[in-house]
């Protein structure tokens, strides 16, 4: 399959066979991911592989998704300026490394981590593996930080579960291009309302007819669901501060 | 070329030929990028294509990199919860959309944007195009927000310049896997100090011998450079607040 076809066939997988992802494959995924672009070359991320079944079960409990504790290799993706802080201080002990926790460097580390993570996902898919990104590892971020012994200037970003798929979901229709691609400036939704209207119908039809978990919903209801989920994670800013991020004066 | 080889051949390109990236190709890149994973399916990002040469020149000035104003198609990648806020309010006018600006949803939108951006980069590379990610569009974030008329609950993340390469940089050696991949918990740098030591030498040799812009530097000096750059962007947290992000109580 050519690469563009591969990217356009992306979907989430949550049902994996017992065929293990070998240590060689895991290592190939990581070293491939490391080739992604990185802000000022700081490579400000780390991956934690969860191979201990007890630890995996505890993380699955945080996500409230039992499949996370089952088949598949689990990575926790971490925004990481801690390594850079130590290396800077080692070379020059008076370095003010708090700057690595500023909004600028914190966001750069989240972006570095995500660029690498998406590269890992594409690499995995090209090997016939399936993946699912797990934002739900942040349902109890404090517990996750403790379980993984994450030091200051690190922050978990999301999990990725990788495995050999047992079954395949339908492709989920995305927003029309007009809704996400503008020219020379931001476009308000009323300028592409016809395209949005038609998308609402496409999405409703998709949810009614997909092969599993059929339901009546639309894009507005999905946003309401996200707002509800977010209300369970109101401590995230406090945890960011605690980890040494975003502590500069406004 | 198979996809893993393609990913491992990634490098930044800054020198593009005058061959234009056609509107058809730009559209193919965006619609491919839209297949990336997205948190709770909110697709919380937008891409702004800069096709107006005067606007491109203004953005190039912000980056302080003259090549940005030259050949290549420029995208500004935007974390975007504004569209979702309007759609939620349209369906249910009493929705408290401020929650879309919380740390949880803000980071999800940065991650959505970055997952899509990396997919766009891989798609571009598979078509023989080269890319460079431009964090430097944030050198004057307020000016960029004004130039692109970015409303509340949106934030520029980075730029991507895409074009047909005139010349190719050397591959830049990444940190050893041991420095970025841990098992079941965070590993401090003193547990992989030999690997780091050997990387420092590899990197120094790379900078001394690469085909252009040879210099004496090492990883610690790169971090110092990043800290220096960050001191020029201390207003980022204030701008995030102004855009309606991270305004929840700690």
């Amino acid at each position: 399959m050519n690469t563009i076809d591969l990217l356009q066939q992306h979907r989430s997988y949550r049902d994996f066979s017992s065929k293990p992802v070998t240590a060689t494959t895991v290592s190939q995924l990581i070293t491939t991911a490391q080739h992604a672009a990185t802000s000022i070359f700081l490579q400000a991320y780390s991956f934690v592989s969860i191979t201990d079944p007890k630890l995996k079960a505890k993380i699955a409990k945080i996500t409230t998704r039992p499949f996370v504790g089952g088949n598949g290799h689990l990575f926790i993706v971490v925004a990481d300026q801690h390594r850079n802080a130590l290396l800077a201080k080692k070379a020059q002990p008076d370095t003010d490394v708090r700057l690595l926790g500023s909004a600028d460097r914190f966001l750069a580390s989240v972006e570095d981590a995500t660029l690498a993570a998406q590269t890992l996902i594409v690499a995995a898919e090209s090997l016939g593996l399936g993946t699912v990104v797990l934002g739900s590892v942040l349902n109890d971020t404090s517990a996750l930080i403790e379980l993984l012994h994450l030091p200051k200037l690190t922050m978990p970003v999301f999990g990725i579960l990788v495995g050999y798929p047992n079954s395949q979901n339908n492709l989920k229709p995305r927003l029309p291009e007009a809704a996400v691609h503008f020219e020379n400036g931001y476009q308000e939704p009323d300028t592409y309302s016809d395209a949005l209207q038609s998308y609402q119908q496409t999405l409703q039809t998709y949810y009614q007819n997909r092969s599993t978990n059929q339901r009546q919903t639309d894009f507005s209801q999905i946003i309401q669901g996200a707002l509800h989920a977010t209300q369970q994670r109101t401590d995230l800013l406090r945890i960011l501060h605690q980890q040494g991020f975003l502590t500069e004066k406004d």
Side-chain angles (χ1 to χ4, degrees), chain A:
Chain A
M1 203 188 292
N2 81 40
T3 299
I4 292 219
D5 288 342
L6 180 79
L7 297 173
Q8 294 190 347
Q9 287 299 311
H10 169 82
R11 63 204 83 191
S12 296
Y13 293 85
R14 293 177 183 82
D15 176 19
F16 300 111
S17 80
S18 59
K19 183 179 172 185
V21 184
T22 64
T24 309
T25 298
V26 168
S27 178
Q28 186 185 20
L29 294 180
I30 296 287
T31 54
T32 303
Q34 288 188 261
H35 285 84
T38 155
S39 178
I40 323 188
F41 203 55
L42 291 198
Q43 307 169 68
Y45 60 85
S46 294
F47 288 83
V48 183
S49 274
I50 309 300
T51 57
D52 172 0
K54 281 183 192 166
L55 181 59
K56 202 182 183 201
K58 286 178 188 166
I59 296 172
K61 205 174 166 192
I62 290 175
T63 68
T64 72
R65 308 289 192 94
F67 72 85
V68 175
N71 293 329
H73 183 91
L74 179 60
F75 294 104
I76 305 296
V77 184
V78 179
D80 186 355
Q81 295 285 14
H82 175 77
R83 178 177 54 241
N84 291 328
L86 291 188
L87 293 177
K89 266 188 126 40
K90 197 177 168 193
Q92 215 167 298
D94 64 342
T95 308
D96 183 1
V97 293
R98 287 174 305 175
L99 276 171
L100 288 170
S102 66
D104 177 49
R105 281 305 102 201
F106 169 62
L107 292 178
S109 68
V110 170
E111 290 153 24
D112 277 10
T114 308
L115 291 166
Q118 178 62 3
T119 307
L120 184 147
I121 289 168
V122 173
E125 289 175 346
S126 81
L127 297 175
L129 290 153
T131 67
V132 58
V133 175
L134 300 164
S136 52
V137 298
L138 301 185
N139 283 345
D140 189 345
T141 307
S142 291
L144 186 64
I145 286 171
E146 208 177 309
L147 285 171
L148 302 187
H149 315 293
L150 295 181
K152 285 214 172 187
L153 296 178
T154 69
M155 183 76 184
V157 177
F158 45 67
I160 308 175
L161 192 63
V162 180
Y164 292 93
N166 264 337
S167 61
Q168 191 173 61
N169 290 327
N170 299 98
L171 272 181
K172 218 164 169 178
R174 264 46 183 174
L175 282 165
E177 184 188 345
V180 302
H181 184 206
F182 316 132
E183 205 168 331
N184 297 317
Y186 196 83
Q187 295 288 318
E188 291 292 342
D190 56 9
T191 64
Y192 52 83
S193 53
D194 288 354
L196 268 180
Q197 187 66 29
S198 144
Y199 178 64
Q200 285 275 29
Q201 279 165 9
T202 306
L203 200 61
Q204 283 181 42
T205 308
Y206 161 81
Y207 279 111
Q208 280 161 19
N209 297 296
R210 64 183 184 177
S211 49
T212 57
N213 193 19
Q214 292 170 3
R215 53 185 168 124
Q216 290 284 348
T217 193
D218 65 14
F219 197 59
S220 312
Q221 286 180 49
I222 292 170
I223 301 170
Q224 294 294 342
L227 288 170
H228 183 75
T230 285
Q231 280 176 324
Q232 320 300 316
R233 297 187 194 160
T234 47
D235 59 346
L236 214 55
L237 188 59
R238 183 186 58 75
I239 296 168
L240 283 167
H241 291 159
Q242 181 189 291
Q243 292 298 99
F245 290 118
L246 308 175
T247 59
E248 68 264 44
K249 290 260 185 301
D250 187 327

